[in-house]
Amino acid sequence: MNNKIKFVDLQTQYQSIKFELQEVMMPLLENASFIKGKPVADFENAFSKFCESKSCVGVGNGTDALSLALRAMNIGSGDEVITVGHTFIATAEAITSVGATPVFIDIRNDTMLMNPDLIESAISPNTKAIMPVHLYGNPCEMDHICDIAHEHNIRVIEDAAQAHGARWKGRRIGSWGDAACFSFYPGKNLGAYGDGGAVVSKDDEFIQKVRMLADHGRKEKYIHEFPGYNSRLDTLQAAILNVKLKYLEAWNECRCNHANEYIKQLSDTDLILPQIHREAQPVWHLFVIRCQNRELLRIHLRETGVETGVHYPVPVHRQPAYHEYSSISLPVTEKAANEVLSLPMYPELGNEIVHEVCNLIKKYNGM
Ligand SMILES: *Cc1c(COP(=O)(O)O)cnc(C)c1O
C-alpha cells in the first residue's frame, strides 16, 4: 500500500466548487465587505429553512453558539444543565463559560447518545436546561427529551454541531428544541474555511437576543443595550457557506451511502457497528465502530496506510479540565470511550477506498 487513505479530505471538495467560490468571494474582497451584509442575512434565512425552523443567527463558532444560547436564556451561576460526558469538550465548556454547572448523565449502550431514561433522576430544583448532543451526526431521541423538559418546565438546547441535516421522526434537527446550535468548523458536514457557528430557533425574540449578545449588546451602531460579546459569523464565511449549503443534502447522501457500504461489508466481522434507532436519519459526520482491542486495530490500519480517529478517548468527566467530576461514574460512557474507532468518512470518499478499508479490517480480523 503506497497511497495513504485519509481520514478526511477537504481539498477534493474545494476543487469541485472553487470557481463558484471565487465568484462570490472576489466581489466581497474588492468591496472590502467583511462584517455583516447580505451574504450573512442570506445564509441565516437559508439555514433556518434548511433546519425546518424559523429564525437563525450566525455567530463566531459552535462553542459560542452554545454559550450565547445559554446566556440568552439567562442561564448562569447556580443553574444546572444536564448533558453527556461522551462528547467533544466544547459542550461542557459552553455550560461552564456562563457560570452554570454541567450535570453529566450516561449514554445508551447501543446508540451512544444521551439516555433519556436517566434525565428525570438528574433533575434538581436548579436544573434549567437539557443539552443533548447529536454525536456523530446521529440524532438523539428528541420527542422523549422534549416531553420531559416540557413537563419540568426546563429548556432544551441541542448541540447540533455534528448533525446538519439529520432527522428524528422525519423532522430536521434544529426544529425540536428551544434552540439548536451548529458549528461550521471546516471538518463538519457543513464547514466554513475557518470558524463559524449558528443558533437556530422558532423563537424570533430569542434569536434577536442572541444576535445582540453576539454583537456587543448593540441596538444601534453606538447604543449598547447590555454588555455582550464579539462573536459574529463573518461575511466571507457566510458567502462560502451559501455556496456549500446548496450541496449539503447531496453530500450527506454520499456519507449515507458510504456508511451503508461499510455496514454491509463489515457485517460478518465481530466488530460492533453503529446502531441506528429506527426513527433516526443520521448524517454520518463520523462512522464509528467499536472493538475491544481498539489500539491494536488502529495500529494495524495505520501501518497499512489508513488514517483513523478516536472520538473521544477521554470523556469530559475524566478530563483534567473537569477534575472536580473525577469521582462520578458513567460506566457506559467510559466503556464506549475505550472502544470507539472512527473510520475514514467524507462525501468524496470513493467506493474502492471503503472496500479497501473493509478488506484491511477483515484481514486483521482473520476473516
Ligand atoms: C465541533 C463541536 C463543537 C464546537 O464547535 P466549534 O465551532 O469548534 O466551536 C461543539 N460540540 C460538538 C459536539 C462538536 O463536535
Side-chain angles (χ1 to χ4, degrees):
M1 255 289 314
N2 33 26
N3 275 342
K4 213 166 137 90
I5 296 177
K6 289 201 253 182
F7 179 63
V8 275
D9 172 6
L10 301 178
Q11 280 113 325
T12 307
Q13 185 174 88
Y14 170 69
Q15 290 304 325
S16 74
I17 53 172
K18 77 172 172 191
F19 297 112
E20 236 180 307
L21 288 171
Q22 280 165 6
E23 238 168 74
V24 299
M25 289 173 77
M26 282 323 227
L28 297 174
L29 296 172
E30 296 290 339
N31 297 328
S33 322
F34 302 127
I35 305 290
K36 302 186 182 176
K38 191 170 181 301
V40 178
D42 286 350
F43 176 72
E44 290 171 342
N45 283 328
F47 194 64
S48 60
K49 284 203 184 76
F50 177 84
C51 294
E52 299 174 353
S53 191
K54 210 169 138 205
S55 214
C56 169
V57 55
V59 298
N61 55 67
T63 313
D64 283 358
L66 291 164
S67 50
L68 290 164
L70 288 162
R71 192 74 74 172
M73 290 179 189
N74 294 314
I75 294 171
S77 178
D79 297 333
E80 293 174 0
V81 178
I82 296 171
T83 190
V84 288
H86 187 55
T87 180
F88 180 53
I89 195 155
T91 315
E93 275 178 315
I95 298 168
T96 53
S97 77
V98 302
T101 304
V103 174
F104 298 108
I105 61 171
D106 219 338
I107 51 174
R108 283 204 200 280
N109 190 48
D110 51 1
T111 59
M112 293 190 274
L113 301 171
M114 175 178 275
N115 183 347
D117 300 338
L118 303 175
I119 294 173
E120 282 197 296
S121 58
I123 292 177
S124 84
N126 298 325
T127 307
K128 290 287 152 53
I130 307 170
M131 190 174 279
V133 183
H134 309 299
L135 203 68
Y136 311 147
N138 194 12
C140 297
E141 296 162 54
M142 288 315 294
D143 49 341
H144 197 164
I145 292 169
C146 290
D147 284 350
I148 297 169
H150 196 77
E151 216 172 286
H152 292 268
N153 197 25
I154 56 182
R155 319 296 293 272
V156 176
I157 303 170
E158 300 169 63
D159 183 339
Q162 302 190 359
H164 323 67
R167 292 178 191 274
W168 174 257
K169 291 202 164 171
R171 254 170 71 188
R172 274 267 157 80
I173 289 312
S175 69
W176 284 94
D178 296 289
C181 301
F182 292 86
S183 163
F184 307 122
Y185 180 81
K188 301 289 162 87
N189 288 41
L190 179 60
Y193 292 159
D195 279 311
V199 183
V200 170
S201 174
K202 288 181 283 288
D203 182 346
D204 287 323
E205 240 173 86
F206 163 76
I207 290 295
Q208 185 54 22
K209 178 93 186 283
V210 176
R211 187 181 297 286
M212 287 175 72
L213 272 173
D215 188 27
H216 304 288
R218 204 173 244 140
K219 194 174 161 204
E220 297 164 37
K221 187 161 186 187
Y222 293 113
I223 303 296
H224 306 270
E225 196 87 347
F226 41 77
Y229 304 86
N230 177 5
S231 183
R232 297 171 299 233
L233 177 64
D234 82 56
T235 314
L236 280 169
Q237 300 304 340
I240 292 162
L241 291 169
N242 276 323
V243 170
K244 294 183 77 173
L245 182 58
K246 292 186 291 180
Y247 299 101
L248 180 57
E249 270 184 90
W251 287 335
N252 280 343
E253 238 168 80
C254 293
R255 289 173 183 270
C256 240
N257 292 337
H258 305 325
N260 289 337
E261 204 52 43
Y262 270 131
I263 290 169
K264 201 169 91 192
Q265 295 190 33
L266 294 175
S267 61
D268 55 354
T269 64
D270 55 12
L271 298 166
I272 299 175
L273 300 178
Q275 307 290 304
I276 305 302
H277 193 289
R278 70 191 139 74
E279 299 286 4
Q281 279 173 257
V283 289
W284 301 102
H285 174 58
L286 296 168
F287 186 86
V288 178
I289 57 170
R290 291 177 66 161
C291 71
Q292 306 268 318
N293 293 320
R294 181 204 34 223
E295 289 314 314
L296 292 178
L297 179 56
R298 197 166 191 218
I299 291 165
H300 164 75
L301 288 173
R302 188 185 300 138
E303 283 172 354
T304 49
V306 181
E307 275 180 8
T308 56
V310 174
H311 303 86
Y312 295 90
V314 181
V316 180
H317 68 293
R318 289 284 178 265
Q319 291 286 352
Y322 290 107
H323 58 87
E324 63 271 33
Y325 289 91
S326 61
S327 62
I328 72 162
S329 150
L330 302 171
V332 187
T333 295
E334 286 149 32
K335 187 163 191 292
N338 285 326
E339 298 178 358
V340 288
L341 180 68
S342 311
L343 300 183
M345 174 56 84
Y346 51 89
E348 297 75 16
L349 188 68
N351 253 336
E352 65 292 348
I353 297 181
V354 174
H355 192 71
E356 185 162 354
V357 173
C358 291
N359 277 346
L360 289 166
I361 291 174
K362 285 184 189 173
K363 239 185 237 163
Y364 169 75
N365 231 20
M367 305 285 301

